[in-house]
Amino acid sequence: RTVSVVGVDFSGGQPKAGVDQGPFQMVQFGVLDQIKELGWKVNFDGTFPNFQKLVPTEDPDIGRMKKPRAVSSVTRALADKVRLAAQKGHFALTLGGDHSIAIGTVSGTAAVHKDLCVIWVDAHADINTVESTDSGNLHGCPVSFLMGLNKPDVPQFEWVQPCLTPDRIVYIGLRDVDPAEKKILKELGIKAFSMHEVDRYGIGKVVDMALEHVNPHNNRPIHLSFDVDALDPTVAPATGTPVRGGLTFREGHYICEAIAETGLLVAMDMVEVNPALGDDNGLLQTVTVGCSLVRCGLGETLL
Ligand SMILES: N/C(=N\O)NCCC[NH3+]
Ligand SMILES: [Mn+2]
Ligand SMILES: [Mn+2]
Ligand SMILES: [Mn+2]
């Protein structure tokens, strides 16, 4: 089994510097060797800087969108890398970088795995359209691009092919969803297990229900897009948009363990680790938990 690892040193989907250093810090921490110890062959194509060179010097807003040219060029290049990995039958592991990169990762896997389903673990729904976004930060919009919710031909993003229907995505961990996003989730009937459901049913039942919803016959390839801010800020403090009342260390790991156990996981993103935020301990804690979750996605078990 081969895993293609892509380090996406990109922060343009949001305003806080440092998240582009997430992949470097996870690699420095030793995640590649840890994955090898699990028995994977590791293809790592990330020298750093890797994607920074695709970021133009001039990138004025287009409509509400901030850094549209940067996000477009990085995600387009990333989509190609992920698609090539998936075409070779490799597991596609993407280390971010902010969550806008999922425009590229899911586009890449969906181009190969036609019946893909996505499990989006996050405090946020990231489904704002380029018109409903209040901030213009595109890390709050990747799902709207992947589902084709924007008007046709968004400038710079004409290349994006909608690849996700509402029945093929499920959320776990939501607790900071904008009013416009709540409206979209309701109108499209998208299944979402917020922290309320996690409290009510427990993480085991939530993951069972999430898988039952997007993968009822256990035959669809799964793409797990894990935003580290899904975890409680006491567990993962070094991230750009922390929200209280998040997943415990174990709940986060259970999600990755249970999804790996299906044997259907073909791709995983680990995003929004920002080493510039939090103190040294917070940085180490967040990088450590990010790498640990990645290992669980790649099959590490407790026994
Ligand atoms: N971390 C974020 N998404 O996962 N921030 C954007 C959310 C804005 N509603
Ligand atoms: Mn996110
Ligand atoms: Mn988030
Ligand atoms: Mn918000």
Side-chain angles (χ1 to χ4, degrees), residues 99 120 122 124 126 139 227 229 271-272:
H99 220 163
W120 197 278
D122 202 326
H124 312 94
D126 295 353
H139 75 150
D227 183 328
D229 70 30
V271 301
E272 300 281 0

Side-chain angles (χ1 to χ4, degrees), residues 124 134 176 178:
H124 312 94
D134 46 10
D176 177 13
D178 300 335

Side-chain angles (χ1 to χ4, degrees), residues 136-173:
N137 297 322
L138 291 179
H139 75 150
C141 305
V143 181
S144 78
F145 281 100
L146 294 168
M147 298 187 76
L149 306 185
N150 292 289
K151 287 203 182 76
D153 295 339
V154 174
Q156 299 294 320
F157 293 92
E158 297 85 350
W159 62 271
V160 180
Q161 299 291 323
C163 58
L164 267 190
T165 50
D167 61 317
R168 295 299 178 90
I169 183 168
V170 63
Y171 289 98
I172 300 175

Side-chain angles (χ1 to χ4, degrees), residues 5-16:
V5 184
V6 184
V8 186
D9 49 329
F10 183 63
S11 66
Q14 54 80 60
K16 297 182 180 176

